[in-house]
Amino acid sequence: MRRINTVYGTQPKHWVGDGFHVQSLFSHMLGDKVTDPFLMLDYAASKYFEPNEGAPRGVGQHPHKGFETVTIAYRGEVAHRDSSGGGGVIRQGDVQWMTAGDGIIHEEFHSPEFSRTGGDFEMVQLWVNLPRKDKGAKATYQHLSNDRIPVVPLADNAGHVRVIAGDYQQQCGAAKTYTPINLWDVVLRPNGQSQLSVPSDHTLLLLVMKGDVAINASEQAHTGQLVTFESVEQGEVGDIELRAGDNGATVLLLSGEPINEPVVGYGPFVMNTEGEIRQAVLDFNAGKFGQLNES
Ligand code: MN
């Protein structure tokens, strides 16, 4: 078994713009957890929003450079536009995988339809680092609609895995990634139990999104908690075992090959050196990230 490092408590919530009430489970700006190649994860636990006839809630135009943002809509809808010409609505079950690469400007709001009707809103935004050689990749995004994300049953009717990225049991995930990454929604039935394998050289993180789960038959984790693991020593088996409580559980599993390069973050930019950050700010101010079309 891969050994658990820490089961972190739930974190205080803060607003991102006026649309996303999130807890930050980890951040490269704190640097207190080993999460490479993942930089940051904000979790907006399910929250009810009243119908809103005014301007949709969210975050207005802002830049990104040097990494990827992954938005998973579990409930509700996010409307997005960016300076690469992309735009659309991330609906319930959809994932947007945006490569900020050499620079992008975008906005993220509750969709007009969701704003009108109101309802429950639940979302994850994950930042995935890019290796030095790909930080200048052309900005683009992948819209991964729910019906394109493979769902693989777990053995013994224990539940299923939604393979957003990577592969589970030879089933390839929907997203193209620059470095080897697994991003799985693991949904366990009540008392469902499953053994999961990820490559032994990957960093491994779990976010419990729903329910209670026993990990490796030793530690318990609950909704909103992040679990980190030790790296696997030579000759050890890197599997983990999950067992849901009486109400079932949903766990977001993240694993990835570490990039092992210096990380210098400044707001929405993540580069390898201070000099590259200064250049990113200059380039953004000079309008080199493009602009959003008039809506
Ligand atoms: Mn953004």
Side-chain angles (χ1 to χ4, degrees), residues 153-172:
L154 290 165
D156 303 325
N157 201 27
H160 65 263
V161 174
R162 213 167 74 104
V163 191
I164 299 168
D167 69 275
Y168 175 75
Q169 305 273 19
Q170 279 87 52
Q171 175 65 64
C172 277

Side-chain angles (χ1 to χ4, degrees), residues 62 64 69 98 106 108 125:
H62 60 279
H64 290 294
T69 66
M98 184 179 85
H106 78 156
E108 302 155 280
Q125 187 165 94

Side-chain angles (χ1 to χ4, degrees), residues 92-97 141-151 162-165 171-176:
Q92 189 161 315
D94 296 351
V95 176
Q96 183 205 54
W97 200 290
Y141 81 92
Q142 306 169 62
H143 178 79
L144 312 171
S145 55
N146 186 33
D147 58 359
R148 286 176 52 205
I149 301 174
V151 175
R162 213 167 74 104
V163 191
I164 299 168
Q171 175 65 64
C172 277
K176 283 206 294 277

